[in-house]
Amino acid sequence: MYKYLFGPVPSRRLGRSLGIDIVNPKTCNMNCIFCECGITKELIKERKSYINLEEMKKEFTYALNNVDFDCVTLSGSGEPTLNKDLGQIIDWIKTMTDKKVVLITNSGLLMEEEVRDEIKNLDIILPTINTVYNSTFKKINRAYEELNINDIKRGLKSLGENFKGDILLETFIIEGINDTKKELNGLADFFNSIKYTKVQLNTLDRIGTERWLKPVSKSRLKKIKEYLELRDVKNIEIIGKFKTEEKIKKDENLLKNMKSKRNYSEEDLKKLFIK
């Protein structure tokens, strides 16, 4: 029944997130080593239409009356800003629900004014920045050749100057790559130069693209948080395990679609769903 909607996903940052996937599987401008969606076989640069908007609207309208969720998240199996209908999709969802509408993005297109204008009505944006050095950016994010870290920095700075909602900056910590003093000092200087709501330190929760990648310990993340705070970075939090007080009824079709996009543990699913 569902082609575009999935979940509700047990999000560590958003609670029960009803996902809408608005691009084809692995449509992305990066091939991040930590991506839970798998390898990006072809890096995509150009924006275009990817979904049948009328079908998506029918799915969402049905879900509004049949699914319990905390927010609507534009995410899924690729980079949602690559859909050129993004602004139209956001504005329509906002007319249908008073739940918060969220965008998860790798920040690769935020330097484009057109994209920032399309997402201005969102409630929350979760953009990623893992380093301020281009050599490290290439190691971690493996974007197409023309995209560099200065584009990411410029886009995030411009976003902070105009966006009225919450900006939850994600930094994915990879031990031995972006957790050195040089890396953390660079990130601290950048964070202190832009406007945001929170910095969220994250690490691997499910299997990433590169199997050698391991989660960073909670104690290490705590030390990084303390170090950044000493550099005057404000409002830092460590992303923990998903927790919910309230379980919800399964929708098998949404759950099937959800499992097709991520490797969820049985522990996650037991926390979220009533048997």
Side-chain angles (χ1 to χ4, degrees):
M1 179 179 179
Y2 293 103
K3 183 176 181 180
Y4 305 114
L5 271 66
F6 61 97
V9 174
S11 169
R12 293 176 290 166
R13 293 181 284 178
L14 301 168
R16 294 166 302 186
S17 164
L18 180 64
I20 306 181
D21 198 348
I22 60 172
V23 295
N24 295 336
K26 286 309 299 176
T27 299
C28 198
N29 46 19
M30 299 185 190
N31 181 29
C32 301
I33 63 176
F34 54 78
C35 185
E36 297 166 357
C37 299
I39 296 170
T40 305
K41 294 181 179 179
E42 180 184 2
L43 295 172
I44 305 298
K45 304 177 188 179
E46 303 298 327
R47 305 179 75 207
K48 68 176 187 178
S49 298
Y50 283 97
I51 69 172
N52 184 310
L53 294 179
E54 293 308 311
E55 284 186 21
M56 183 276 292
K57 289 178 180 180
K58 288 179 183 177
E59 289 183 20
F60 187 77
T61 302
Y62 178 83
L64 278 177
N65 298 314
N66 293 278
V67 181
D68 188 14
F69 58 93
D70 299 316
C71 66
V72 182
T73 304
L74 298 170
S75 177
S77 56
E79 172 52 41
T81 59
L82 284 167
N83 189 321
K84 72 175 186 179
D85 302 317
L86 180 61
Q88 181 181 346
I89 292 167
I90 292 168
D91 292 344
W92 180 82
I93 294 171
K94 295 288 289 183
T95 68
M96 297 296 293
T97 180
D98 58 1
K99 298 286 180 73
K100 291 187 182 299
V101 183
V102 183
L103 172 72
I104 298 178
T105 176
N106 61 23
S107 308
L109 283 169
L110 294 180
M111 70 282 197
E112 295 189 10
E113 185 177 359
E114 178 184 50
V115 173
R116 296 196 304 275
D117 185 64
E118 290 175 14
I119 63 178
K120 65 185 178 184
N121 292 328
L122 287 165
D123 298 290
I124 304 172
I125 298 177
L126 281 66
T128 297
I129 181 167
N130 305 308
T131 180
V132 297
Y133 298 106
N134 206 48
S135 58
T136 309
F137 174 68
K138 296 295 184 183
K139 287 179 184 177
I140 296 174
N141 297 99
R142 302 187 298 196
Y144 64 90
E145 190 62 32
E146 296 88 347
L147 184 61
N148 64 63
I149 196 59
N150 290 325
D151 297 322
I152 305 295
K153 291 166 65 178
R154 187 170 71 254
L156 287 171
K157 184 175 178 60
S158 296
L159 180 70
E161 290 170 352
N162 298 292
F163 185 63
K164 304 302 182 185
D166 289 333
I167 299 174
L168 309 181
L169 287 173
E170 178 189 50
T171 296
F172 197 99
I173 300 297
I174 302 169
E175 200 158 6
I177 296 183
N178 67 339
D179 65 338
T180 64
K181 283 189 176 181
K182 176 184 175 182
E183 290 283 344
L184 297 177
N185 288 340
L187 283 168
D189 289 342
F190 178 68
F191 294 150
N192 289 333
S193 73
I194 66 171
K195 293 181 181 179
Y196 62 87
T197 308
K198 289 182 181 179
V199 170
Q200 299 185 318
L201 301 179
N202 208 348
T203 189
L204 197 69
D205 189 46
R206 306 179 189 98
I207 297 172
T209 301
E210 298 299 332
R211 296 305 176 102
W212 54 263
L213 193 63
K214 304 296 181 185
V216 176
S217 69
K218 188 174 181 180
S219 61
R220 178 62 181 143
L221 289 175
K222 185 178 179 182
K223 287 181 179 178
I224 291 171
K225 177 178 182 288
E226 291 170 350
Y227 184 84
L228 291 172
E229 288 172 337
L230 288 173
R231 294 295 310 273
D232 295 324
V233 180
K234 310 298 183 186
N235 301 323
I236 310 171
E237 67 179 12
I238 296 170
I239 304 305
K241 290 289 185 181
F242 171 80
K243 294 180 181 179
T244 183
E245 301 279 337
E246 185 180 341
K247 293 188 178 183
I248 59 176
K249 185 178 179 181
K250 285 183 184 178
D251 183 308
E252 293 296 339
N253 289 306
L254 280 171
L255 180 59
K256 181 179 179 181
N257 221 9
M258 173 177 146
K259 286 181 174 180
S260 73
K261 301 179 189 304
R262 298 285 193 285
N263 291 315
Y264 291 96
S265 70
E266 288 304 314
E267 180 184 357
D268 273 343
L269 298 178
K270 285 177 182 177
K271 286 178 182 177
L272 184 66
F273 295 111
I274 297 170
K275 290 183 179 180

